[in-house]
Amino acid sequence: MNNYKVLIGLEMHCEISETNSKVFSAAANNYSDIPNSNVRPIDMAFPGILPVVNKEAVRKALMASIILNCKQPEYIYFERKNYYYPDLPKGFQITQETKPAPVGIYGHLDYECDGEMKTVRINNLHLEEDAAATEHLPSGSLINYNRAGVPLLELVTEPDIHSADEAVAFLETMRSIYQYAGISEADSKKGQIRCDVNVSIMDKDKDETNPDNWGIKVEIKNVNSFGGVRDAINYEIKRQLELKEDGKYDEMPQQTRRWDEESGTTIFMRGKVDAIDYKYFTEPNIPKYKVKKEWLLEIEKDIPRLAHERKEEYINNYGISSYDAGVLVKEKAISDFFEETIKLGADAKSASNWITTNLLGALNKAELTISQAKMTPNHLAELIKMVKDKEISSQQAKGVFTESLNTGKSPKEIASEKGLKQITDDKEIEKVVGEVLDENPNVIEQYKNGKTNMVNYLVGQVMKKTGGKANPGLARDIMAKEIEKR
Ligand code: ADP
Ligand code: MG
């Protein structure tokens, strides 16, 4: 391995989920509805039906292009990619190849991997339509046309990625961009993200900027999870290194393989000589149209705050640590929860602490996402206020939090049901402190002999006697005063 370096180029497909309708059809863009309920004649390739371009899909694609620092085209037009497959009733996919300028070319994206900044050059970003979804059963195959015509963005990187970790970090950054920009939920569990991974190895001391020095490209098709991307790359690196060691690498044909999740291996599909000829030509039913400069400027202005911008704000405006801010923005839904809680008047640092430690800890344990949590930002803001107003102690708050999370009840309701109320009355605490001191003459003696930290033990006894209801700060102050009087 020491003599070689790995080159990885990614082709990432992401469905644009945040449009009302499909990319060339008026059917609803909602794949997960009842199968075959979101279908218009064009999705079934009925003759004589013409495509109509969805402006919002183009707008979102151009927004992604701007975020990725790509060059946008002067005109938008589409191309036909011809092949036959049961999930493609038209017999062609409407897409954008590189000749008719796609929505983006020659961009770059900076991303962080293990605390280090890296850059990937983007070769192109193009807008196309998804195919229908096929489900194979023992009795036959079922086709769901809800997916036919769903807008799909395909991003093609240069082979600037050098390890499985970098590939996954890049994909996570892209997912975050799609989510924060409101382009897509980018949920791989819903099949919204699918990747083709290209891997080769080359001599370490050769110049990487010269493509002549690159190794033989092996494409791995349809890897559908980030874990799969990691495993497929690592498997493929190992396989190619073994070929090098056996002196067989140079005989290896350029090829397409498929990732087999079950066996954890890549399997040969076809070599370059069997490459499919898609006979591209310009889609005649969609006239080309001009992308106005003003429109691009408008789209650029509309780009929502992305994860790294929110992170900066949390650090600078709220004094939250860089680590915690990173945790908060990792998922948009969590960042939204945090911001909603603050909007409701909660102190930002308290909100951050509750979310990063208690909330995410509990969700992880229960294997739930934040959208499945019963607790709302309203509940959390209320809880934080109750602690701040000393209505309940922070110890009590932990129990209330857990119950609110499990039941969806409001913290106020839980506290009143449980009869929780913090004791903040000096007289009442003094009484308990007096009792504790009476019961522990030997502890007082140890204290007088210099073991001053025995105060902690005594305060602990006060908390115990009050069922955790005494305000701990008050209990401590009063104990310190009273013990001196003995
Ligand atoms: P094709 O013409 O076969 O589609 P491209 O040159 O367009 O191939 O590249 C497709 C993808 O493969 C891109 O993501 C690119 O970065 C990547 N790629 C190309 N050559 C290599 C290589 N030698 N090693 C790894 N990835 C490569
Ligand atoms: Mg492609």
Side-chain angles (χ1 to χ4, degrees):
M1 181 71 202
N2 285 339
N3 303 326
Y4 303 108
K5 101 172 120 183
V6 178
L7 296 188
I8 300 164
L10 296 173
E11 294 163 83
M12 178 193 198
H13 294 86
C14 182
E15 284 177 352
I16 298 179
S17 61
E18 310 294 320
T19 59
N20 293 329
S21 54
K22 295 180 179 178
V23 60
F24 304 116
S25 137
N29 177 11
N30 209 347
Y31 168 49
S32 54
D33 284 351
I34 298 168
N36 296 312
S37 61
N38 295 327
V39 185
R40 290 290 176 101
I42 190 167
D43 304 322
M44 300 290 298
F46 283 21
I49 315 280
L50 297 175
V52 177
V53 179
N54 179 341
K55 187 174 178 190
E56 186 56 18
V58 175
R59 195 183 81 93
K60 288 193 153 54
L62 287 169
M63 186 180 277
S65 167
I66 295 169
I67 294 170
L68 292 169
N69 307 291
C70 287
K71 186 172 169 311
Q72 289 80 43
E74 222 184 311
Y75 291 92
I76 293 258
Y77 44 124
F78 292 88
E79 220 174 28
R80 278 191 193 182
K81 178 178 182 175
N82 298 282
Y83 64 99
Y84 176 75
Y85 204 75
D87 65 13
L88 192 72
K90 294 201 296 291
F92 59 86
Q93 178 195 32
I94 303 179
T95 178
Q96 298 183 303
E97 274 302 301
T98 39
K99 252 180 283 150
V103 287
I105 50 169
Y106 309 141
H108 62 89
L109 180 70
D110 298 332
Y111 70 100
E112 197 181 314
C113 179
D114 291 333
E116 250 182 82
M117 288 315 288
K118 312 264 176 185
T119 300
V120 169
R121 286 169 301 150
I122 309 294
N123 178 283
N124 77 84
L125 176 75
H126 55 269
L127 178 62
E128 56 191 23
E129 56 180 343
D130 209 345
T134 319
E135 194 186 338
H136 298 289
L137 302 174
S139 56
S141 294
L142 301 175
I143 301 184
N144 180 357
Y145 289 96
N146 281 358
R147 205 179 75 181
V150 164
L152 194 63
L153 273 176
E154 179 174 348
L155 170 80
V156 182
T157 78
E158 298 293 346
D160 293 342
I161 295 165
H162 297 100
S163 69
D165 283 348
E166 283 184 20
V168 172
F170 170 79
L171 292 172
E172 282 177 343
T173 306
M174 278 312 304
R175 175 171 61 190
S176 158
I177 287 174
Y178 284 140
Q179 289 175 347
Y180 277 89
I183 292 169
S184 178
E185 286 173 89
D187 186 344
S188 26
K189 284 196 205 81
K190 292 188 184 165
Q192 289 172 339
I193 296 181
R194 306 183 298 265
C195 296
D196 300 336
V197 184
N198 301 275
V199 184
S200 70
I201 48 181
M202 66 175 276
D203 292 343
K204 196 170 207 161
D205 46 16
K206 290 213 174 124
D207 175 15
E208 184 185 324
T209 59
N210 180 356
D212 290 343
N213 293 329
W214 296 352
I216 302 161
K217 187 182 88 162
V218 173
E219 180 187 31
I220 311 160
K221 278 252 174 248
N222 272 319
V223 195
N224 294 341
S225 71
F226 292 177
V229 168
R230 182 189 303 280
D231 294 345
I233 290 174
N234 284 330
Y235 176 85
E236 195 53 33
I237 294 172
K238 196 164 146 268
R239 193 186 71 84
Q240 292 182 22
L241 282 174
E242 278 167 15
L243 287 173
K244 279 267 189 205
E245 260 156 39
D246 298 347
K248 290 184 183 152
Y249 183 82
D250 293 333
E251 299 160 23
M252 176 181 78
Q254 188 180 321
Q255 61 193 269
T256 300
R257 303 176 73 87
R258 113 187 131 73
W259 170 242
D260 185 60
E261 188 94 48
E262 223 147 85
S263 63
T265 60
T266 61
I267 296 166
F268 183 88
M269 282 171 76
R270 58 175 181 259
K272 194 182 165 86
V273 281
D274 310 317
I276 304 161
D277 178 0
Y278 293 112
K279 299 189 164 57
Y280 288 101
F281 62 88
T282 304
E283 167 58 53
N285 289 331
I286 301 175
K288 71 173 188 180
Y289 60 97
K290 199 168 166 66
V291 179
K292 292 212 183 97
K293 280 260 154 0
E294 301 83 65
W295 194 37
L296 288 174
L297 287 173
E298 224 173 86
I299 295 171
E300 186 169 5
K301 258 200 264 138
D302 287 345
I303 298 172
R305 290 146 63 236
L306 302 179
H308 66 275
E309 294 164 289
R310 291 198 191 194
K311 183 176 167 182
E312 290 290 299
E313 276 181 29
Y314 298 171
I315 296 170
N316 297 334
N317 302 355
Y318 305 133
I320 288 168
S321 73
S322 165
Y323 180 83
D324 284 349
V327 174
L328 289 171
V329 300
K330 191 142 196 275
E331 293 281 340
K332 178 170 182 285
I334 291 167
S335 173
D336 288 345
F337 192 105
F338 171 68
E339 295 192 359
E340 195 59 32
T341 309
I342 295 177
K343 245 192 238 148
L344 291 162
D347 167 66
K349 267 198 168 157
S350 308
S352 163
N353 283 339
W354 278 107
I355 293 171
T356 54
T357 50
N358 306 65
L359 182 60
L360 292 180
L363 292 175
N364 261 342
K365 224 163 132 192
E367 290 183 16
L368 292 175
T369 65
I370 198 153
S371 54
Q372 294 167 308
K374 291 198 174 123
M375 187 176 213
T376 65
N378 245 319
H379 293 151
L380 183 57
E382 187 175 293
L383 183 67
I384 290 170
K385 185 162 188 303
M386 285 163 76
V387 176
K388 188 168 159 245
D389 294 347
K390 299 206 165 71
E391 277 176 45
I392 56 173
S393 69
S394 33
Q395 197 54 40
Q396 289 171 328
K398 283 190 187 135
V400 173
F401 175 88
T402 307
E403 187 154 343
S404 176
L405 189 65
N406 292 337
T407 63
K409 281 188 195 162
S410 86
K412 277 234 176 338
E413 195 182 340
I414 295 165
S416 91
E417 267 176 20
K418 286 191 179 300
L420 294 180
K421 209 161 167 39
Q422 191 166 217
I423 307 171
T424 51
D425 177 32
D426 288 13
K427 288 272 162 327
E428 217 175 311
I429 293 176
E430 261 169 34
K431 193 172 139 251
V432 183
V433 164
E435 282 169 27
V436 168
L437 288 172
D438 289 345
E439 286 161 16
N440 292 284
N442 50 345
V443 178
I444 299 175
E445 189 158 335
Q446 287 175 29
Y447 174 85
K448 301 269 181 201
N449 290 336
K451 289 189 91 175
T452 48
N453 60 358
M454 288 313 282
V455 165
N456 294 335
Y457 170 78
L458 294 169
V459 173
Q461 294 305 303
V462 174
M463 296 309 292
K464 208 164 156 190
K465 256 188 195 289
T466 56
K469 289 186 187 178
N471 176 289
L474 266 181
R476 179 167 299 278
D477 291 348
I478 293 172
M479 180 59 77
K481 227 169 33 209
E482 292 299 313
I483 199 167
E484 289 302 330
K485 294 186 189 158
R486 299 274 168 149

